[in-house]
Amino acid sequence: MTTASASTTALAPANPWALVPPLGNLDAYIAAVNRLPMLTYEEEQRYARQFKEHGDIEAAGRLVLSHLRLVVSIARQYLGYGLPHGDLIQEGNVGLMKAVKRFDPDQGVRLVSYAMHWIKAEIHEYILRNWRMVKMATTKAQRKLFFNLRSLKQGFKADAADTDTYRETLSEHEIDAVARQLKVKREEVIEMEARMAGGDVLLDPAPSEDGEQAFGPIAYLADAAHEPTAMLESRQREMLATDGIATALQTLDPRSRHIVEERWLKVNDDGSGGKTLHDLAAIYGVSAERIRQIEAAAMKKMKKALAQYA
C-alpha cells in the first residue's frame, strides 16, 4: 500500500482522490477506499495511455486508487484461512499495481477484468507462503483448550500403553471426561480435536500422474457469484434472454416469428414443450420438412441479430 499512498500524496489537491490520513484502523481504510470515485471507460483509457506512453505516475495512481475497493472485495473472500484481512489487502494491492503496470488499453478489456487475476494470484501466493502459519486456536479460551487437550491426550496414550485400546481419536467417554475436567462444552472438545487432527492441504495441487488437474481448495475457496466479471456476464445473459430475444424476433416475418414462438417460447397446458413440426405443418398446410426449413432460417437470422445486440 506504500505505492498507493505515494500516488495519493500526488493527488492531494483533488480532494475526492485523497485517502484519509493513516489511522492504523482497517475499517477507516476500507471506508476511505469505498469513497473513491470509479473511473469511466474513457477516463480509464486516457490514464492508461498516459502511463503506458509517457510514464505518467499520477495517471497510474488514479488507476490504482479507483480499483482499491476491488482488492478489498476480493481479499474478503479469503478470510477463511485465518490470515489478517489487512495483510490480504496489502498483498492484493501489490497484485493491483502489477496489473496496472502491465495493462494494455489497446486490448479492449476493462482494467477490472485484467486486474482481478493479478490480485488473486498475489493473494494465493501469500496464502501458500503462510499456510503453515495459520493459527490453530484464535481466542484465549481456544488456545487454552488446545494445549490442555494435547496434554490430556498424551495422558490417555500413556494409560493405554500396555494395551491395544488406544485410538488417535477420543472416545465418547474420553470426550466427556475432558469436558468435565476443563469445564468446557463437549462440542468444543470435538471441534478442537478435529482441528488438531486436520493436516495441511495444498491450495493449488499439482496435476496428477495421468495429466489431469487435481481438485483442491482453490477450486471452491472464493465465491465467484459476486465477482464483477461474473455479475456482468450474468447481467448480459439476462438482457439477451429478454430484450435480446424480443429484438431478434422483430427481425422475422410474421410466419417465421409465429413458428419460433410456438416451437420454443410457449409451453402446453400439460407442461410439455411447444408445438411439433407436424402440428405447425397442419396449421399452415405445408409439409413438416418445410416448417423445419423455415425454422432453421429464422434461427439463423435471430442468431445474427443477437450477435449484433450483444
Side-chain angles (χ1 to χ4, degrees):
M1 284 187 272
T2 303
T3 303
S5 299
S7 301
T8 302
T9 302
L11 299 171
N15 198 28
W17 292 92
L19 288 172
V20 294
L23 301 175
N25 187 316
L26 182 61
D27 291 337
Y29 170 81
I30 294 175
V33 300
N34 285 333
R35 289 197 299 268
L36 293 174
M38 301 291 289
L39 296 178
T40 63
Y41 176 76
E42 291 74 19
E43 290 173 332
E44 181 178 292
Q45 286 284 304
R46 183 170 72 252
Y47 293 137
R49 295 184 188 283
Q50 288 177 4
F51 177 61
K52 180 182 178 182
E53 297 173 4
H54 307 291
D56 188 342
I57 299 301
E58 181 174 330
R62 288 180 177 266
L63 292 172
V64 170
L65 287 172
S66 64
H67 289 79
L68 289 179
R69 70 179 68 192
L70 173 66
V71 176
V72 172
S73 176
I74 293 177
R76 190 176 292 116
Q77 300 170 10
Y78 294 89
L79 290 176
Y81 281 99
L83 296 171
H85 194 191
D87 290 353
L88 293 170
I89 293 175
Q90 173 80 1
E91 296 298 323
N93 285 343
V94 173
L96 172 60
M97 288 185 282
K98 288 182 178 180
V100 169
K101 183 178 180 181
R102 294 166 174 80
F103 180 62
D104 185 359
D106 296 323
Q107 292 299 316
V109 298
R110 293 299 299 265
L111 178 57
V112 62
S113 302
Y114 183 77
M116 189 177 302
H117 302 287
W118 285 93
I119 295 168
K120 286 187 175 182
E122 207 67 26
I123 293 177
H124 292 172
E125 186 65 25
Y126 170 68
I127 293 175
L128 287 171
R129 290 196 309 266
N130 294 274
W131 181 239
R132 290 185 177 273
M133 295 170 60
V134 178
K135 295 180 179 179
M136 176 63 68
T138 52
T139 67
K140 183 177 180 180
Q142 287 175 327
R143 288 195 293 270
K144 182 178 179 180
L145 174 59
F146 169 64
F147 288 112
N148 283 309
L149 182 58
R150 291 191 61 180
S151 300
L152 290 174
K153 288 191 69 173
Q154 291 297 324
F156 294 141
K157 185 174 183 179
D159 293 340
D162 298 330
T163 68
D164 296 329
T165 60
Y166 177 74
R167 298 175 300 119
E168 287 296 328
T169 57
L170 295 175
S171 66
E172 292 296 321
H173 173 72
E174 291 170 340
I175 291 174
D176 291 333
V178 171
R180 284 195 304 270
Q181 187 169 344
L182 300 181
K183 298 180 181 180
V184 296
K185 297 178 181 179
R186 67 188 316 273
E187 291 79 10
E188 295 177 355
V189 177
I190 296 173
E191 179 187 0
M192 183 56 67
E193 185 191 17
R195 294 174 67 181
M196 290 172 59
D200 289 343
V201 179
L202 286 176
L203 179 67
D204 193 7
S208 58
E209 294 181 357
D210 56 6
E212 294 186 0
Q213 183 65 38
F215 186 77
I218 195 66
Y220 57 81
L221 181 63
D223 179 13
H226 296 91
E227 288 185 354
T229 52
M231 294 176 68
L232 289 174
E233 290 174 358
S234 176
R235 192 176 306 161
Q236 185 178 35
R237 286 195 299 269
E238 292 176 0
M239 291 178 63
L240 286 175
T242 54
D243 298 346
I245 295 295
T247 301
L249 285 171
Q250 294 300 319
T251 64
L252 304 178
D253 61 85
R255 183 175 65 170
S256 297
R257 183 165 61 251
H258 180 255
I259 289 174
V260 171
E261 290 175 342
E262 292 294 335
R263 286 276 289 155
W264 302 105
L265 301 180
K266 290 186 178 180
V267 180
N268 295 327
D269 295 336
D270 59 0
S272 60
K275 287 184 170 58
T276 65
L277 295 175
H278 292 283
D279 293 337
L280 292 169
I283 293 175
Y284 287 101
V286 296
S287 66
E289 174 60 22
R290 179 54 183 157
I291 295 296
R292 188 196 66 77
Q293 293 173 357
I294 295 173
E295 178 189 28
M299 288 295 188
K300 185 176 181 180
K301 192 171 184 180
M302 287 182 65
K303 184 177 180 180
K304 184 177 180 180
L306 285 171
Q308 294 176 348
Y309 183 85

